[in-house]
Amino acid sequence: MKKRNTLRTILLVCFTAVFLFSLYKVVSIRLRYSTENKTIGAVQEDYTHVITESDDVTDIPEDVQEIGLVVDFDALLNKNKDVIGWVYLEGTKINYPVAQSSDNNDYLRTGVDRRYSWYGTPFADMKCDGIAGSLNTIIYGHNMNNGMMFGSLVNYRKQSYYDEHKELVILTPEKNYRLVIVSANVVSAYHEIYSRVNGEACYNTICELKAKSDIKTGVEISKDDRFVTLSTCSLAYDDARQLVIGKLVEME
């Protein structure tokens, strides 16, 4: 009888410990998400303004009026000179600065304020020449469980989602662009697209991905186009990545 009671006590203690640890992890993750959401929300509030009907748009360029979002790049660059642009998809959570440094690891867990961030900051591959200087600019962002950062890109595996979100917007200190979606693909983290940012081989790879796309866009492309590949993690299989490729169209 004593052995049974002892065993029950041990099991109860073990189950209680597991439960408390699991509860701790859940609460910790929720608090972390809450903190990160507040931080990125502050960045958006400090450096952008959504144009409303009550705004005086006299001094706002027509392309910015069309986008509906004003980005204060002077203030952003004063804060962090690594900022090269801002990616925006109206009606979604994609509304973030884009950074670039000489090391692709710099912004994996670093915010635009240069402090530690679980979300990190979307960043352009170090091999690329800014947003539009290379044939293909690769921009990486985390796939967060709450859909933040590039988490919503996985929705582009569905034709219905693409049909409602055919374009993103990329703003830069010099020019603003529409990013017209060309294709969406799930590929290996070691796919050749990640090593090719210029040249005929790069263009051919984009054409191959377009032909195998999970969605049908009907968008025509040529060697004279400039492209941006948005990349995030995918749960489709081990080391899978979700790609959304678009061609840059300069706004006038």
Side-chain angles (χ1 to χ4, degrees):
M1 184 65 71
K2 287 185 177 180
K3 288 185 178 179
R4 284 188 180 179
N5 290 337
T6 300
L7 180 59
R8 288 176 181 174
T9 300
I10 293 174
L11 290 174
L12 179 60
V13 170
C14 290
F15 289 147
T16 301
V18 170
F19 171 76
L20 290 176
F21 179 73
S22 299
L23 180 62
Y24 164 76
K25 293 293 289 184
V26 170
V27 171
S28 296
I29 290 173
R30 287 185 177 179
L31 286 175
R32 182 179 289 184
Y33 274 127
S34 177
T35 300
E36 292 286 343
N37 288 346
K38 289 178 181 178
T39 300
I40 195 64
V43 169
Q44 294 165 347
E45 183 175 348
D46 289 345
Y47 300 110
T48 69
H49 172 71
V50 177
I51 300 173
T52 65
E53 293 181 357
S54 61
D55 288 324
D56 181 1
V57 298
T58 305
D59 296 325
I60 299 178
E62 290 186 6
D63 62 334
V64 177
Q65 293 182 42
E66 182 181 344
I67 294 167
L69 183 75
V70 179
V71 178
D72 187 349
F73 279 110
D74 289 338
L76 258 178
L77 289 169
N78 187 54
K79 186 74 174 181
N80 186 341
K81 295 189 181 301
D82 285 344
V83 172
I84 60 171
W86 193 283
V87 59
Y88 176 62
L89 179 54
E90 186 178 4
T92 76
K93 294 180 180 180
I94 295 181
N95 183 20
Y96 308 113
V98 178
Q100 185 179 35
S101 76
S102 58
D103 187 337
N104 280 349
N105 292 314
D106 282 353
Y107 287 97
L108 283 173
R109 297 298 179 190
T110 302
V112 73
D113 59 0
R114 295 184 182 277
R115 297 178 180 178
Y116 174 81
S117 169
W118 192 36
Y119 283 1
T121 302
F123 63 93
D125 194 293
M126 56 186 286
K127 298 187 296 294
C128 302
D129 183 10
I131 292 294
S134 301
L135 173 64
N136 179 39
T137 299
I138 305 168
I139 299 178
Y140 305 94
H142 288 301
N143 178 358
M144 307 307 297
N145 288 336
N146 62 352
M148 293 295 285
M149 307 316 288
F150 282 0
S152 60
L153 291 185
V154 298
N155 294 325
Y156 275 103
R157 297 189 71 180
K158 302 174 183 177
Q159 186 71 33
S160 58
Y161 186 83
Y162 162 75
D163 290 339
E164 296 180 358
H165 305 86
K166 294 184 176 182
E167 298 180 1
L168 292 87
V169 172
I170 295 183
L171 302 92
T172 75
E174 299 80 26
K175 297 178 181 179
N176 298 321
Y177 302 88
R178 291 186 296 115
L179 185 64
V180 182
I181 304 302
V182 170
S183 71
N185 309 77
V186 176
V187 302
S188 164
Y190 310 103
H191 193 278
E192 60 193 17
I193 188 68
Y194 292 110
S195 62
R196 296 176 175 175
V197 298
N198 281 305
E200 185 173 356
C202 176
Y203 179 73
N204 290 340
T205 298
I206 291 174
C207 290
E208 291 170 5
L209 288 169
K210 182 177 184 295
K212 299 176 181 178
S213 175
D214 290 327
I215 56 175
K216 304 304 178 185
T217 66
V219 176
E220 296 184 359
I221 62 175
S222 74
K223 293 182 180 179
D224 294 328
D225 290 325
R226 287 291 181 266
F227 302 90
V228 168
T229 296
L230 305 177
S231 174
T232 194
C233 292
S234 168
L235 298 177
Y237 50 83
D238 290 345
D239 292 328
R241 298 293 184 267
Q242 174 70 54
L243 301 183
V244 174
I245 302 174
K247 72 173 183 179
L248 288 169
V249 177
E250 185 176 337
M251 301 185 71
E252 299 179 357

